[in-house]
Amino acid sequence: MTDSEAHKDDELVFLDEHESGPAIEAPRKSWRVLIVDDDPDVHSTTELALRNTLILNRPLSFLHAYSASQTRELLANEGDIAVILLDVVMENEDAGLRLVKNIREDFGMSETRIILRTGQPGYAPEIDAIRDYDINDYKTKSELTRNKLYTTLTAAIRSFDQIRAITTSRRGLDLIVHASAELMALHGMRNFAAGVITQIAGLLGLRPEGLVCAQDAMDEESPESGPTIIAAAGRHTALINQPLSSIADATLREGLLRCMRERQNIYDEAGTLLFFPSQASARGDMAAFLETDDRLDETDRRLLEVFCANIAVGFDNAALFSRLHAFAYYDQLSRLPNRTHFINQIDRRLANPDHAGFVLGLVDIDHFAETNDALGHLFGDRLLQEVATRLKQSLGSQVTVARVAGDTFGLLGPAERMSPSILIALFQEPFRVDGQDLMVSATCGLLNLADSNTSGAEALKDTNIALKRAKQRSRGEVSFFTRAMGIEIQERVMLLQALRHAFDNERLFLVYQPQVDLATRRVVGLEALIRWRAENGAFIAPDRFIPLAEHSGLIVNIGEWVLRVACHQQAWLARMGFGHVRMAINVSVSQFRHPKFPFVLRRAIEDSGADPACIELEITESMAMEEADFLLLTLNKLKENGITVAVDDFGTGFSSLSYLQRLSVDRLKIDRAFVNEITDSQRGSQIPEMVIQLGHRLGLSIIAEGVEDAAQAQRLQELGCHEAQGYHFARPMEIGPLLEWLQNR
């Protein structure tokens, strides 16, 4: 190339040359270029040079501003500008540089590329300008030849397009994340599907006009079946729950079928069709239609592809959520609401002003465990299903029926539908299970919601108290909750807590009541009795706290403590000269059943140095009979150490003579209830006399408790009773006063 030719190519005034690129049909959009310069010739020559030029297959369109202030006014109303060709010197020497800051900071145009042009080379050093200002390129006007201007603009527009694509994708992904979160908060497949339409429209900046259809996975092979519209928005709303064939627009109808058949998204002039595959949903594959005014560009399509992949999982998650909701709130065996759901319904009813007219009930199947064990769990499950069906059908839709526990059903309904007579009548007819007629009874606890101003959980707890009270009275009973029941339960709980605290803080202690030989009035034994002195000095009766200790299991620890203390006191009394006096210690059923009991007893005797022959265990008659086989094995081991065994409260149960013989007990203890009546009449002494004669025939010693006066002692002696204890001889005493009493005798 000659120098003249090169110079000609560098001139700023350009000719309309063909080198700008091949002629291509103009696409829909153009790149917007803003020229900012106070010289009108620069505007005209720049636009002339780039006329009919395509960059990245799109034409250019130009905006013009002749000063910094005019540029600010223009930018306040115009957007989507790809490149700004900006003159450095306009109103003043650094007007262009100041304008850069306005463009970036005030107008937030971070994607737009800024090419700074100056006609005064060296006025604003390139390095300083690029370092201090967000400028993408810096050129002198003399070096911007036609080819270089084209190259510079191409690079700037390519950069703008890439940055905008990244920004749009990032913004779109943020919208997708937000849309997904919004959708996951929707419960149920239909709500989720409706939300998909709304979120896609929001993603694309469109009005929500569209629908979602789904093919039932169970019927998709059936030729007569077809997809169903499960959600719709805008002018398509009337199509909800209709078959796809009901869509009048044949193009739309065929498009949806094609979308599901080809399992891919379809973009055309009619709108956008999106495919959502399903892996786990009870619904099969789904397709959505959204009205789009224009063909979507590549960026929009990429976002929709990501959205569809994400939401396809969301559809399955919505179906999974529906199943989890069923597991969380419904009993899978009976298909009734479970305890959690039932409590929520009680809460809603309590929040209603008319709740006073409603009754809450618990129905417990009597002896269900025995039926389950005898006939099998499958039979038991079917029985529960039959009970659930009868409750729902008989009580009607006004009554909510739930399964709140294994064999316990909850009821909530108007008082007139929840009367005891109605509930009892439900179990007057047999239940048909596996071809068998089975009579079943039920025990019920009821609560008038007028008596409950708390929560559903508290109301259900009070109803359970009524149920337990009914069970205590008799199976098949119905009991209403009363305030007195609640107070009693609260007192029991508080008393149990106080008992634990008293035991931990050594507020329990032992007293000892002497046992005497009726013939000689000589002291032959002591019964260790537990006492509880509260912190205020008052005594709590044993018949109040011992049952609580047994029910809670605390009796095992308390019993071990009693054993150790009583054994130590027997050894101490022996050292004081009373080695012949035996120590009687009461043992509870829970304590005796404990596998470590023999070891605990042996260790207590060994650690204390007590004489095993002077240690006597007292067990109740009911315990001796109910636990006879177990006691036989355990007592034989214990008696090998030399201890003796007495049966307490004898005569209050139904003893078997064979068990008494096999157990090898040493002593029978006549209950105080019979001793109290022994002098009232001839009939009053019959049971003590029978017990004494029985003991004689079995070779057992007989001791009577609760002897209050000399007449009772005399009558017992006449009947042949060997020993006695009671206030007539001595009251229970602590160890210090006891020793003094023994020494005085």
Side-chain angles (χ1 to χ4, degrees):
M1 181 184 293
T2 63
D3 291 342
S4 61
E5 289 173 333
H7 178 74
K8 183 178 180 180
D9 186 55
D10 287 342
E11 290 180 353
L12 188 61
V13 179
F14 305 109
L15 298 175
D16 185 10
E17 299 178 19
H18 67 276
E19 287 90 339
S20 59
I24 301 176
E25 183 182 353
R28 179 168 48 86
K29 295 182 180 179
S30 62
W31 302 114
R32 305 187 81 195
V33 177
L34 171 61
I35 304 172
V36 181
D37 201 297
D38 57 357
D39 185 350
D41 290 339
V42 172
H43 289 263
S44 58
T45 54
T46 301
E47 186 169 357
L48 179 63
L50 297 174
R51 186 177 58 187
N52 297 329
T53 299
L54 297 179
I55 296 180
L56 302 183
N57 203 32
R58 287 167 61 177
L60 304 177
S61 62
F62 297 94
L63 300 173
H64 300 275
Y66 297 90
S67 66
S69 58
Q70 189 179 4
T71 302
R72 295 186 188 95
E73 293 176 3
L74 184 147
L75 293 179
N77 300 304
E78 297 288 348
D80 193 26
I81 296 175
V83 181
I84 298 178
L85 296 171
L86 177 61
D87 189 14
V88 175
V89 180
M90 289 179 290
E91 295 99 320
N92 48 55
E93 295 177 345
D94 61 348
L97 294 177
R98 288 177 176 272
L99 186 57
V100 171
K101 283 195 173 184
N102 295 138
I103 294 170
R104 298 303 192 199
E105 297 175 6
D106 298 338
F107 295 101
M109 300 173 65
S110 59
E111 299 169 2
T112 301
R113 304 295 86 191
I114 298 177
I115 300 173
L116 201 64
R117 299 197 296 184
T118 179
Q120 304 178 33
Y123 178 78
E126 295 180 18
I127 295 177
D128 292 343
I130 293 176
R131 181 192 63 202
D132 298 336
Y133 298 90
D134 186 3
I135 298 170
N136 305 111
D137 205 349
Y138 187 96
K139 300 291 184 182
T140 61
K141 294 179 181 179
S142 61
E143 67 178 313
L144 274 178
T145 61
R146 178 186 183 284
N147 287 344
K148 289 183 179 180
L149 180 60
Y150 175 82
T151 302
T152 299
L153 274 179
T154 300
I157 289 173
R158 181 179 287 113
S159 176
F160 167 77
D161 187 43
Q162 292 172 347
I163 292 173
R164 188 177 63 170
I166 292 172
T167 302
T168 302
S169 297
R170 183 170 60 247
R171 188 181 302 115
L173 290 174
D174 289 341
L175 289 173
I176 289 174
V177 171
H178 175 74
S180 300
E182 292 286 334
L183 287 170
M184 293 308 165
L186 299 176
H187 297 170
M189 284 294 294
R190 295 186 183 279
N191 287 340
F192 188 89
V196 166
I197 299 173
T198 303
Q199 296 299 337
I200 294 177
L203 186 67
L204 301 177
L206 304 173
R207 292 180 59 190
E209 295 276 353
L211 56 86
V212 177
C213 64
Q215 173 73 57
D216 194 313
M218 300 300 294
D219 296 331
E220 62 182 343
E221 299 299 328
S222 177
E224 66 272 9
S225 68
T228 301
I229 299 168
I230 62 173
R235 63 187 182 89
H236 303 280
T237 304
L239 294 171
I240 294 177
N241 294 330
Q242 299 297 316
L244 187 62
S245 57
S246 64
I247 298 178
D249 187 338
T251 302
L252 173 57
R253 186 173 62 249
E254 292 301 320
L256 286 166
L257 290 172
R258 176 187 163 204
C259 177
M260 299 181 74
R261 184 173 58 251
E262 297 179 0
R263 302 176 65 82
Q264 65 180 2
N265 297 344
I266 298 174
Y267 308 96
D268 57 27
E269 293 81 358
T272 299
L273 299 164
L274 304 175
F275 175 71
F276 301 97
S278 175
Q279 301 297 326
S281 173
R283 295 278 184 182
D285 295 336
M286 301 187 188
F289 165 73
L290 193 73
E291 292 187 3
T292 48
D293 297 332
D294 299 316
R295 293 174 62 105
L296 302 179
D297 62 23
E298 190 61 30
T299 300
D300 291 334
R301 294 187 183 189
R302 285 198 299 266
L303 287 177
L304 284 179
E305 297 290 342
V306 174
F307 182 82
C308 289
N310 194 47
I311 298 307
V313 176
F315 271 116
D316 286 340
N317 287 343
L320 176 61
F321 180 87
S322 297
R323 291 197 295 274
L324 290 176
H325 182 272
F327 279 113
Y329 292 101
Y330 288 88
D331 172 57
Q332 299 305 298
L333 176 67
S334 64
R335 302 300 180 184
L336 296 175
N338 61 13
R339 183 185 185 88
T340 301
H341 192 11
F342 190 52
I343 290 175
N344 291 341
Q345 290 176 309
I346 301 170
D347 281 327
R348 286 195 290 271
R349 176 54 60 188
L350 287 171
N352 198 306
D354 69 345
H355 73 269
F358 281 72
V359 169
L360 175 64
L362 287 176
V363 177
D364 187 83
I365 308 302
D366 295 333
H367 309 296
F368 178 77
E370 289 86 343
T371 302
N372 218 24
D373 293 339
L375 301 177
H377 292 281
L378 183 59
F379 185 92
D381 288 346
R382 289 174 180 167
L383 172 60
L384 291 173
Q385 290 172 335
E386 289 299 320
V387 172
T389 299
R390 181 176 295 184
L391 290 174
K392 281 188 65 67
Q393 291 179 350
S394 300
L395 295 175
S397 59
Q398 289 181 296
V399 177
T400 299
V401 181
R403 186 185 178 204
V404 298
D407 60 343
T408 304
F409 294 87
L411 306 175
L412 177 64
E416 61 271 15
R417 299 294 303 154
M418 294 282 291
S419 68
S421 59
I422 290 177
L423 298 180
I424 292 175
L426 293 174
F427 295 88
Q428 298 301 309
E429 298 293 329
F431 290 88
R432 189 77 173 172
V433 182
D434 290 346
Q436 301 182 47
D437 286 337
L438 186 68
M439 288 301 302
V440 174
S441 65
T443 305
C444 305
L446 301 177
L447 167 71
N448 287 309
L449 287 191
D451 297 331
S452 179
N453 294 313
T454 55
S455 64
E458 287 295 316
L460 196 61
K461 183 191 72 175
D462 290 343
T463 311
N464 195 51
I465 292 173
L467 175 63
K468 289 183 177 179
R469 182 58 57 88
K471 288 182 178 180
Q472 290 172 359
R473 290 207 306 257
S474 176
R475 292 286 182 165
E477 290 282 326
V478 178
S479 176
F480 271 92
F481 174 80
T482 64
R483 292 294 180 189
M485 291 181 191
I487 293 172
E488 179 184 336
I489 293 294
Q490 291 175 359
E491 289 178 347
R492 283 171 58 86
V493 171
M494 293 175 63
L495 188 63
L496 178 58
Q497 292 175 343
L499 177 58
R500 293 183 186 277
H501 182 268
F503 179 63
D504 293 339
N505 292 274
E506 301 180 354
R507 303 295 303 180
L508 304 181
F509 63 98
L510 296 184
V511 294
Y512 307 87
Q513 186 171 37
Q515 299 170 333
V516 302
D517 186 299
L518 283 175
T520 64
R521 294 302 196 264
R522 178 171 173 263
V523 177
V524 293
L526 302 167
E527 181 179 7
L529 302 168
I530 191 169
R531 294 291 184 265
W532 175 11
R533 184 187 292 113
E535 294 182 0
N536 62 3
F539 284 91
I540 290 89
D543 59 1
R544 287 190 63 199
F545 70 84
I546 292 297
L548 278 179
E550 291 178 340
H551 181 72
S552 66
L554 186 59
I555 194 66
V556 175
N557 292 332
I558 292 177
E560 181 177 354
W561 172 79
V562 170
L563 271 177
R564 297 187 65 83
V565 173
C567 287
H568 276 281
Q569 298 297 16
Q570 191 281 328
W572 182 75
L573 287 173
R575 292 194 295 271
M576 296 297 104
F578 300 96
H580 64 283
V581 177
R582 70 175 179 267
M583 181 69 71
I585 307 169
N586 291 280
V587 180
S588 72
V589 176
S590 300
Q591 189 180 357
F592 206 91
R593 283 176 179 166
H594 198 283
K596 291 186 177 181
F597 177 70
F599 170 75
V600 169
L601 176 60
R602 185 170 60 253
R603 188 176 62 180
I605 293 174
E606 292 173 353
D607 291 349
S608 64
D611 181 2
C614 290
I615 299 298
E616 182 168 272
L617 302 181
E618 288 194 2
I619 60 176
T620 62
E621 181 184 11
S622 59
M623 175 180 171
M625 295 305 102
E626 293 173 5
E627 307 285 334
D629 292 330
F630 176 72
L631 282 174
L632 179 62
L633 181 63
T634 306
L635 287 180
N636 286 339
K637 292 181 180 179
L638 296 177
K639 288 177 70 66
E640 291 176 358
N641 297 322
I643 67 169
T644 56
V645 178
V647 178
D648 196 7
D649 303 331
F650 195 81
T652 59
F654 300 93
S655 296
S656 167
L657 298 183
S658 62
Y659 276 138
L660 283 177
Q661 286 181 313
R662 291 174 60 198
L663 289 175
S664 299
V665 298
D666 302 282
R667 204 177 322 279
L668 299 181
K669 197 170 191 179
I670 302 174
D671 188 74
R672 66 177 64 247
F674 303 120
V675 174
N676 289 338
E677 300 176 357
I678 200 169
T679 58
D680 292 345
S681 64
Q682 183 65 30
R683 185 178 180 86
S685 64
Q686 287 181 351
I687 293 180
E689 183 177 5
M690 291 173 58
V691 172
I692 292 169
Q693 290 177 0
L694 174 64
H696 287 169
R697 287 185 171 85
L698 294 176
L700 305 177
S701 296
I702 307 298
I703 182 172
E705 64 179 352
V707 179
E708 305 294 337
D709 53 45
Q712 292 174 345
Q714 180 63 33
R715 182 59 180 150
L716 286 167
Q717 188 175 356
E718 291 172 356
L719 293 174
C721 184
H722 304 118
E723 301 170 1
Q725 70 183 82
Y727 285 3
H728 175 62
F729 304 106
R731 290 177 175 271
M733 294 170 277
E734 293 189 59
I735 193 65
L738 172 66
L739 178 60
E740 183 179 350
W741 183 84
L742 289 172
Q743 290 171 339
N744 290 337
R745 288 179 64 87

